[in-house]
Amino acid sequence: RSSKITHTMSLSLDLTPLASYVRPDVYSIESTATVVQCAKKMAEHGCGLLVVSEGEQFVGVISEHDIAQKAVALENTHGTVGNFMSACAGSKFVTTKDSFLAAMTAMEGMNARHVIVVKAEAAGNAKMLMADIAGVLSIKDIIARISESTRERIASDLSHD
């Protein structure tokens, strides 16, 4: 029975488009902001990642990990977000049409806890604009969806026995 539950759960996650689940609350910061301003904004919004912009252009992301490892640990908290961010040039994105499996694969490939979800029509753009971002997906979001899907499948399987 457990393999049936696992198979059904993974199949439903594989096929679920991210547009149904991505949170549209994307918090951003300018690349010229200080690391301290960045940390305060993360604390204010209770998030672990900010999208970095230069005007209307999306240029990268900065995470709690970036701040802790690249700024605080090196006692360099006077630098700007642009000094410590991960540039979007090397980032992998997923689109609103992609699945949870694609998001998990992207996170694993980048060894990251977040992935940027872009609007499907913007996927091939050479330069991303802030308006192209549909949301951010975190590992917490994926775990919550897996837990929800697992509970639903187990309840369904138990009610049919």
Side-chain angles (χ1 to χ4, degrees), residues 2-42:
S2 76
S3 65
K4 176 184 173 191
I5 292 171
T6 304
H7 174 71
T8 306
M9 180 201 64
S10 64
L11 181 61
S12 67
L13 285 178
D14 292 357
L15 301 177
T16 305
L18 293 174
S20 304
Y21 296 101
V22 71
R23 293 181 320 222
D25 52 343
V26 177
Y27 301 109
S28 64
I29 194 161
E30 283 286 324
S31 64
T32 55
T34 67
V35 174
V36 173
Q37 290 171 320
C38 180
K40 286 180 179 180
K41 190 164 192 175
M42 285 179 178

mmCIF file of all heavy atoms in Angstrom, residues 2-42:
data_model
loop_
_atom_site.group_PDB
_atom_site.id
_atom_site.type_symbol
_atom_site.label_atom_id
_atom_site.label_comp_id
_atom_site.label_asym_id
_atom_site.label_seq_id
_atom_site.Cartn_x
_atom_site.Cartn_y
_atom_site.Cartn_z
ATOM 1 N N SER A 2 1.959 1.304 0.777
ATOM 2 C CA SER A 2 2.736 2.537 0.877
ATOM 3 C C SER A 2 3.333 2.940 -0.466
ATOM 4 O O SER A 2 3.441 4.116 -0.769
ATOM 5 C CB SER A 2 3.825 2.435 1.936
ATOM 6 O OG SER A 2 4.898 1.675 1.472
ATOM 7 N N SER A 3 3.717 1.984 -1.309
ATOM 8 C CA SER A 3 4.272 2.360 -2.614
ATOM 9 C C SER A 3 3.192 2.979 -3.493
ATOM 10 O O SER A 3 3.469 3.867 -4.284
ATOM 11 C CB SER A 3 4.909 1.155 -3.308
ATOM 12 O OG SER A 3 3.931 0.187 -3.609
ATOM 13 N N LYS A 4 1.947 2.519 -3.338
ATOM 14 C CA LYS A 4 0.845 3.124 -4.091
ATOM 15 C C LYS A 4 0.659 4.583 -3.667
ATOM 16 O O LYS A 4 0.511 5.465 -4.502
ATOM 17 C CB LYS A 4 -0.450 2.342 -3.840
ATOM 18 C CG LYS A 4 -1.663 2.970 -4.501
ATOM 19 C CD LYS A 4 -2.930 2.230 -4.141
ATOM 20 C CE LYS A 4 -4.126 2.980 -4.662
ATOM 21 N NZ LYS A 4 -5.372 2.435 -4.124
ATOM 22 N N ILE A 5 0.708 4.835 -2.359
ATOM 23 C CA ILE A 5 0.541 6.199 -1.859
ATOM 24 C C ILE A 5 1.679 7.072 -2.359
ATOM 25 O O ILE A 5 1.466 8.158 -2.872
ATOM 26 C CB ILE A 5 0.477 6.211 -0.313
ATOM 27 C CG1 ILE A 5 -0.805 5.538 0.166
ATOM 28 C CG2 ILE A 5 0.577 7.649 0.222
ATOM 29 C CD1 ILE A 5 -0.860 5.300 1.655
ATOM 30 N N THR A 6 2.914 6.613 -2.235
ATOM 31 C CA THR A 6 4.081 7.382 -2.664
ATOM 32 C C THR A 6 4.011 7.664 -4.157
ATOM 33 O O THR A 6 4.242 8.784 -4.593
ATOM 34 C CB THR A 6 5.379 6.620 -2.338
ATOM 35 O OG1 THR A 6 5.389 6.344 -0.941
ATOM 36 C CG2 THR A 6 6.596 7.425 -2.720
ATOM 37 N N HIS A 7 3.667 6.660 -4.959
ATOM 38 C CA HIS A 7 3.598 6.841 -6.407
ATOM 39 C C HIS A 7 2.531 7.872 -6.775
ATOM 40 O O HIS A 7 2.767 8.763 -7.573
ATOM 41 C CB HIS A 7 3.312 5.512 -7.096
ATOM 42 C CG HIS A 7 3.091 5.660 -8.567
ATOM 43 N ND1 HIS A 7 4.117 5.958 -9.432
ATOM 44 C CD2 HIS A 7 1.964 5.603 -9.313
ATOM 45 C CE1 HIS A 7 3.633 6.066 -10.655
ATOM 46 N NE2 HIS A 7 2.326 5.848 -10.613
ATOM 47 N N THR A 8 1.360 7.759 -6.167
ATOM 48 C CA THR A 8 0.272 8.685 -6.477
ATOM 49 C C THR A 8 0.635 10.098 -6.059
ATOM 50 O O THR A 8 0.399 11.051 -6.778
ATOM 51 C CB THR A 8 -1.024 8.238 -5.766
ATOM 52 O OG1 THR A 8 -1.281 6.885 -6.117
ATOM 53 C CG2 THR A 8 -2.194 9.103 -6.167
ATOM 54 N N MET A 9 1.253 10.237 -4.867
ATOM 55 C CA MET A 9 1.634 11.554 -4.393
ATOM 56 C C MET A 9 2.661 12.183 -5.315
ATOM 57 O O MET A 9 2.524 13.311 -5.720
ATOM 58 C CB MET A 9 2.217 11.465 -2.975
ATOM 59 C CG MET A 9 2.631 12.825 -2.456
ATOM 60 S SD MET A 9 3.819 12.761 -1.130
ATOM 61 C CE MET A 9 5.215 12.025 -1.918
ATOM 62 N N SER A 10 3.694 11.449 -5.674
ATOM 63 C CA SER A 10 4.739 12.029 -6.508
ATOM 64 C C SER A 10 4.205 12.372 -7.890
ATOM 65 O O SER A 10 4.583 13.370 -8.459
ATOM 66 C CB SER A 10 5.947 11.096 -6.609
ATOM 67 O OG SER A 10 5.597 9.899 -7.252
ATOM 68 N N LEU A 11 3.300 11.579 -8.417
ATOM 69 C CA LEU A 11 2.713 11.873 -9.714
ATOM 70 C C LEU A 11 1.935 13.175 -9.671
ATOM 71 O O LEU A 11 2.074 14.021 -10.537
ATOM 72 C CB LEU A 11 1.805 10.723 -10.163
ATOM 73 C CG LEU A 11 1.138 10.885 -11.521
ATOM 74 C CD1 LEU A 11 2.194 11.007 -12.615
ATOM 75 C CD2 LEU A 11 0.208 9.742 -11.807
ATOM 76 N N SER A 12 1.138 13.375 -8.597
ATOM 77 C CA SER A 12 0.358 14.609 -8.524
ATOM 78 C C SER A 12 1.266 15.819 -8.365
ATOM 79 O O SER A 12 0.995 16.875 -8.910
ATOM 80 C CB SER A 12 -0.670 14.542 -7.390
ATOM 81 O OG SER A 12 -0.025 14.514 -6.140
ATOM 82 N N LEU A 13 2.359 15.707 -7.616
ATOM 83 C CA LEU A 13 3.288 16.822 -7.477
ATOM 84 C C LEU A 13 3.999 17.104 -8.794
ATOM 85 O O LEU A 13 4.230 18.239 -9.149
ATOM 86 C CB LEU A 13 4.328 16.534 -6.397
ATOM 87 C CG LEU A 13 3.851 16.644 -4.960
ATOM 88 C CD1 LEU A 13 4.977 16.274 -4.021
ATOM 89 C CD2 LEU A 13 3.336 18.024 -4.649
ATOM 90 N N ASP A 14 4.349 16.068 -9.524
ATOM 91 C CA ASP A 14 5.069 16.230 -10.781
ATOM 92 C C ASP A 14 4.255 17.032 -11.786
ATOM 93 O O ASP A 14 4.815 17.758 -12.589
ATOM 94 C CB ASP A 14 5.393 14.875 -11.397
ATOM 95 C CG ASP A 14 6.397 14.085 -10.596
ATOM 96 O OD1 ASP A 14 6.909 14.585 -9.588
ATOM 97 O OD2 ASP A 14 6.670 12.951 -10.997
ATOM 98 N N LEU A 15 2.949 16.894 -11.761
ATOM 99 C CA LEU A 15 2.100 17.492 -12.781
ATOM 100 C C LEU A 15 1.451 18.807 -12.366
ATOM 101 O O LEU A 15 0.783 19.443 -13.164
ATOM 102 C CB LEU A 15 1.008 16.487 -13.180
ATOM 103 C CG LEU A 15 1.535 15.155 -13.732
ATOM 104 C CD1 LEU A 15 0.381 14.211 -14.015
ATOM 105 C CD2 LEU A 15 2.371 15.373 -14.971
ATOM 106 N N THR A 16 1.624 19.220 -11.136
ATOM 107 C CA THR A 16 0.976 20.432 -10.650
ATOM 108 C C THR A 16 1.724 21.665 -11.130
ATOM 109 O O THR A 16 2.886 21.853 -10.787
ATOM 110 C CB THR A 16 0.935 20.429 -9.108
ATOM 111 O OG1 THR A 16 0.295 19.238 -8.667
ATOM 112 C CG2 THR A 16 0.192 21.640 -8.587
ATOM 113 N N PRO A 17 1.085 22.531 -11.921
ATOM 114 C CA PRO A 17 1.778 23.750 -12.370
ATOM 115 C C PRO A 17 1.998 24.708 -11.202
ATOM 116 O O PRO A 17 1.137 24.878 -10.346
ATOM 117 C CB PRO A 17 0.854 24.358 -13.413
ATOM 118 C CG PRO A 17 -0.403 23.602 -13.371
ATOM 119 C CD PRO A 17 -0.248 22.414 -12.484
ATOM 120 N N LEU A 18 3.156 25.328 -11.180
ATOM 121 C CA LEU A 18 3.508 26.231 -10.090
ATOM 122 C C LEU A 18 2.601 27.445 -10.011
ATOM 123 O O LEU A 18 2.454 28.034 -8.940
ATOM 124 C CB LEU A 18 4.964 26.674 -10.236
ATOM 125 C CG LEU A 18 5.993 25.559 -10.051
ATOM 126 C CD1 LEU A 18 7.381 26.077 -10.352
ATOM 127 C CD2 LEU A 18 5.913 24.969 -8.664
ATOM 128 N N ALA A 19 1.981 27.822 -11.108
ATOM 129 C CA ALA A 19 1.077 28.981 -11.103
ATOM 130 C C ALA A 19 -0.015 28.817 -10.051
ATOM 131 O O ALA A 19 -0.498 29.801 -9.492
ATOM 132 C CB ALA A 19 0.453 29.176 -12.481
ATOM 133 N N SER A 20 -0.377 27.574 -9.748
ATOM 134 C CA SER A 20 -1.425 27.310 -8.762
ATOM 135 C C SER A 20 -0.965 27.541 -7.335
ATOM 136 O O SER A 20 -1.779 27.694 -6.448
ATOM 137 C CB SER A 20 -1.902 25.862 -8.881
ATOM 138 O OG SER A 20 -2.325 25.587 -10.188
ATOM 139 N N TYR A 21 0.343 27.545 -7.103
ATOM 140 C CA TYR A 21 0.842 27.554 -5.733
ATOM 141 C C TYR A 21 1.815 28.669 -5.392
ATOM 142 O O TYR A 21 2.042 28.928 -4.225
ATOM 143 C CB TYR A 21 1.515 26.213 -5.417
ATOM 144 C CG TYR A 21 0.536 25.091 -5.471
ATOM 145 C CD1 TYR A 21 0.465 24.266 -6.579
ATOM 146 C CD2 TYR A 21 -0.359 24.879 -4.432
ATOM 147 C CE1 TYR A 21 -0.453 23.240 -6.641
ATOM 148 C CE2 TYR A 21 -1.290 23.861 -4.491
ATOM 149 C CZ TYR A 21 -1.333 23.044 -5.596
ATOM 150 O OH TYR A 21 -2.246 22.050 -5.654
ATOM 151 N N VAL A 22 2.408 29.292 -6.370
ATOM 152 C CA VAL A 22 3.435 30.291 -6.070
ATOM 153 C C VAL A 22 2.804 31.492 -5.385
ATOM 154 O O VAL A 22 1.717 31.935 -5.755
ATOM 155 C CB VAL A 22 4.216 30.699 -7.332
ATOM 156 C CG1 VAL A 22 3.373 31.519 -8.269
ATOM 157 C CG2 VAL A 22 5.486 31.432 -6.969
ATOM 158 N N ARG A 23 3.491 31.961 -4.346
ATOM 159 C CA ARG A 23 3.016 33.144 -3.634
ATOM 160 C C ARG A 23 3.470 34.384 -4.392
ATOM 161 O O ARG A 23 4.641 34.524 -4.715
ATOM 162 C CB ARG A 23 3.592 33.175 -2.224
ATOM 163 C CG ARG A 23 3.083 32.062 -1.339
ATOM 164 C CD ARG A 23 3.685 32.209 0.031
ATOM 165 N NE ARG A 23 5.088 32.614 -0.065
ATOM 166 C CZ ARG A 23 6.063 32.126 0.674
ATOM 167 N NH1 ARG A 23 5.808 31.219 1.560
ATOM 168 N NH2 ARG A 23 7.304 32.545 0.529
ATOM 169 N N PRO A 24 2.559 35.292 -4.649
ATOM 170 C CA PRO A 24 2.925 36.489 -5.421
ATOM 171 C C PRO A 24 3.631 37.564 -4.595
ATOM 172 O O PRO A 24 4.040 38.576 -5.131
ATOM 173 C CB PRO A 24 1.581 36.994 -5.930
ATOM 174 C CG PRO A 24 0.607 36.535 -4.899
ATOM 175 C CD PRO A 24 1.136 35.215 -4.386
ATOM 176 N N ASP A 25 3.796 37.329 -3.291
ATOM 177 C CA ASP A 25 4.435 38.337 -2.451
ATOM 178 C C ASP A 25 5.958 38.274 -2.602
ATOM 179 O O ASP A 25 6.638 37.568 -1.892
ATOM 180 C CB ASP A 25 4.020 38.195 -0.986
ATOM 181 C CG ASP A 25 4.215 36.791 -0.439
ATOM 182 O OD1 ASP A 25 4.363 35.853 -1.243
ATOM 183 O OD2 ASP A 25 4.240 36.632 0.789
ATOM 184 N N VAL A 26 6.454 39.010 -3.574
ATOM 185 C CA VAL A 26 7.879 39.062 -3.861
ATOM 186 C C VAL A 26 8.423 40.352 -3.254
ATOM 187 O O VAL A 26 7.951 41.435 -3.582
ATOM 188 C CB VAL A 26 8.156 39.045 -5.379
ATOM 189 C CG1 VAL A 26 9.638 39.175 -5.662
ATOM 190 C CG2 VAL A 26 7.593 37.770 -5.999
ATOM 191 N N TYR A 27 9.379 40.203 -2.382
ATOM 192 C CA TYR A 27 9.979 41.376 -1.754
ATOM 193 C C TYR A 27 11.300 41.657 -2.439
ATOM 194 O O TYR A 27 12.073 40.749 -2.721
ATOM 195 C CB TYR A 27 10.176 41.143 -0.255
ATOM 196 C CG TYR A 27 8.866 40.844 0.430
ATOM 197 C CD1 TYR A 27 8.576 39.571 0.902
ATOM 198 C CD2 TYR A 27 7.900 41.837 0.576
ATOM 199 C CE1 TYR A 27 7.369 39.292 1.512
ATOM 200 C CE2 TYR A 27 6.680 41.566 1.187
ATOM 201 C CZ TYR A 27 6.427 40.291 1.647
ATOM 202 O OH TYR A 27 5.224 40.023 2.235
ATOM 203 N N SER A 28 11.541 42.930 -2.708
ATOM 204 C CA SER A 28 12.739 43.291 -3.457
ATOM 205 C C SER A 28 13.507 44.392 -2.753
ATOM 206 O O SER A 28 12.995 45.053 -1.855
ATOM 207 C CB SER A 28 12.372 43.728 -4.874
ATOM 208 O OG SER A 28 11.590 44.903 -4.833
ATOM 209 N N ILE A 29 14.740 44.557 -3.214
ATOM 210 C CA ILE A 29 15.610 45.597 -2.687
ATOM 211 C C ILE A 29 16.535 46.038 -3.807
ATOM 212 O O ILE A 29 16.879 45.240 -4.685
ATOM 213 C CB ILE A 29 16.393 45.087 -1.452
ATOM 214 C CG1 ILE A 29 17.024 46.257 -0.692
ATOM 215 C CG2 ILE A 29 17.414 44.018 -1.830
ATOM 216 C CD1 ILE A 29 17.405 45.926 0.743
ATOM 217 N N GLU A 30 16.912 47.297 -3.788
ATOM 218 C CA GLU A 30 17.841 47.820 -4.796
ATOM 219 C C GLU A 30 19.259 47.331 -4.500
ATOM 220 O O GLU A 30 19.636 47.150 -3.341
ATOM 221 C CB GLU A 30 17.820 49.352 -4.801
ATOM 222 C CG GLU A 30 16.611 49.956 -5.492
ATOM 223 C CD GLU A 30 16.672 49.851 -7.012
ATOM 224 O OE1 GLU A 30 17.759 49.973 -7.588
ATOM 225 O OE2 GLU A 30 15.596 49.662 -7.613
ATOM 226 N N SER A 31 20.032 47.131 -5.537
ATOM 227 C CA SER A 31 21.408 46.640 -5.382
ATOM 228 C C SER A 31 22.289 47.618 -4.619
ATOM 229 O O SER A 31 23.321 47.226 -4.071
ATOM 230 C CB SER A 31 22.023 46.345 -6.754
ATOM 231 O OG SER A 31 22.131 47.537 -7.513
ATOM 232 N N THR A 32 21.890 48.881 -4.542
ATOM 233 C CA THR A 32 22.682 49.900 -3.846
ATOM 234 C C THR A 32 22.387 49.976 -2.345
ATOM 235 O O THR A 32 23.077 50.692 -1.618
ATOM 236 C CB THR A 32 22.428 51.286 -4.470
ATOM 237 O OG1 THR A 32 21.022 51.537 -4.451
ATOM 238 C CG2 THR A 32 22.956 51.343 -5.903
ATOM 239 N N ALA A 33 21.392 49.236 -1.873
ATOM 240 C CA ALA A 33 21.051 49.235 -0.443
ATOM 241 C C ALA A 33 22.172 48.571 0.347
ATOM 242 O O ALA A 33 22.927 47.745 -0.187
ATOM 243 C CB ALA A 33 19.737 48.492 -0.223
ATOM 244 N N THR A 34 22.262 48.893 1.620
ATOM 245 C CA THR A 34 23.291 48.272 2.458
ATOM 246 C C THR A 34 22.825 46.891 2.914
ATOM 247 O O THR A 34 21.632 46.584 2.893
ATOM 248 C CB THR A 34 23.589 49.125 3.706
ATOM 249 O OG1 THR A 34 22.434 49.122 4.558
ATOM 250 C CG2 THR A 34 23.982 50.546 3.332
ATOM 251 N N VAL A 35 23.781 46.102 3.345
ATOM 252 C CA VAL A 35 23.467 44.770 3.860
ATOM 253 C C VAL A 35 22.587 44.880 5.104
ATOM 254 O O VAL A 35 21.683 44.066 5.304
ATOM 255 C CB VAL A 35 24.765 43.981 4.160
ATOM 256 C CG1 VAL A 35 24.477 42.671 4.828
ATOM 257 C CG2 VAL A 35 25.545 43.758 2.881
ATOM 258 N N VAL A 36 22.833 45.879 5.937
ATOM 259 C CA VAL A 36 22.023 46.079 7.138
ATOM 260 C C VAL A 36 20.570 46.400 6.740
ATOM 261 O O VAL A 36 19.628 45.842 7.313
ATOM 262 C CB VAL A 36 22.623 47.180 8.042
ATOM 263 C CG1 VAL A 36 21.692 47.515 9.197
ATOM 264 C CG2 VAL A 36 23.998 46.743 8.555
ATOM 265 N N GLN A 37 20.377 47.275 5.763
ATOM 266 C CA GLN A 37 19.022 47.571 5.274
ATOM 267 C C GLN A 37 18.358 46.299 4.754
ATOM 268 O O GLN A 37 17.168 46.074 4.976
ATOM 269 C CB GLN A 37 19.071 48.622 4.163
ATOM 270 C CG GLN A 37 19.447 50.002 4.635
ATOM 271 C CD GLN A 37 19.700 50.959 3.470
ATOM 272 O OE1 GLN A 37 20.295 50.579 2.459
ATOM 273 N NE2 GLN A 37 19.258 52.210 3.622
ATOM 274 N N CYS A 38 19.131 45.474 4.081
ATOM 275 C CA CYS A 38 18.626 44.223 3.533
ATOM 276 C C CYS A 38 18.155 43.291 4.655
ATOM 277 O O CYS A 38 17.053 42.740 4.598
ATOM 278 C CB CYS A 38 19.720 43.560 2.692
ATOM 279 S SG CYS A 38 19.240 42.009 1.940
ATOM 280 N N ALA A 39 18.989 43.113 5.671
ATOM 281 C CA ALA A 39 18.638 42.237 6.793
ATOM 282 C C ALA A 39 17.388 42.746 7.510
ATOM 283 O O ALA A 39 16.515 41.959 7.893
ATOM 284 C CB ALA A 39 19.810 42.139 7.759
ATOM 285 N N LYS A 40 17.284 44.066 7.672
ATOM 286 C CA LYS A 40 16.098 44.645 8.317
ATOM 287 C C LYS A 40 14.844 44.385 7.493
ATOM 288 O O LYS A 40 13.779 44.087 8.035
ATOM 289 C CB LYS A 40 16.294 46.146 8.533
ATOM 290 C CG LYS A 40 17.251 46.474 9.665
ATOM 291 C CD LYS A 40 17.408 47.972 9.832
ATOM 292 C CE LYS A 40 18.346 48.289 10.984
ATOM 293 N NZ LYS A 40 18.512 49.753 11.171
ATOM 294 N N LYS A 41 14.968 44.487 6.175
ATOM 295 C CA LYS A 41 13.805 44.243 5.306
ATOM 296 C C LYS A 41 13.387 42.780 5.365
ATOM 297 O O LYS A 41 12.195 42.464 5.399
ATOM 298 C CB LYS A 41 14.118 44.661 3.868
ATOM 299 C CG LYS A 41 12.895 44.663 2.976
ATOM 300 C CD LYS A 41 13.121 45.437 1.706
ATOM 301 C CE LYS A 41 11.802 45.649 0.996
ATOM 302 N NZ LYS A 41 11.948 46.498 -0.177
ATOM 303 N N MET A 42 14.353 41.868 5.397
ATOM 304 C CA MET A 42 14.027 40.435 5.534
ATOM 305 C C MET A 42 13.299 40.183 6.848
ATOM 306 O O MET A 42 12.305 39.451 6.879
ATOM 307 C CB MET A 42 15.293 39.589 5.460
ATOM 308 C CG MET A 42 15.864 39.452 4.086
ATOM 309 S SD MET A 42 17.370 38.433 4.172
ATOM 310 C CE MET A 42 17.801 38.371 2.445
#
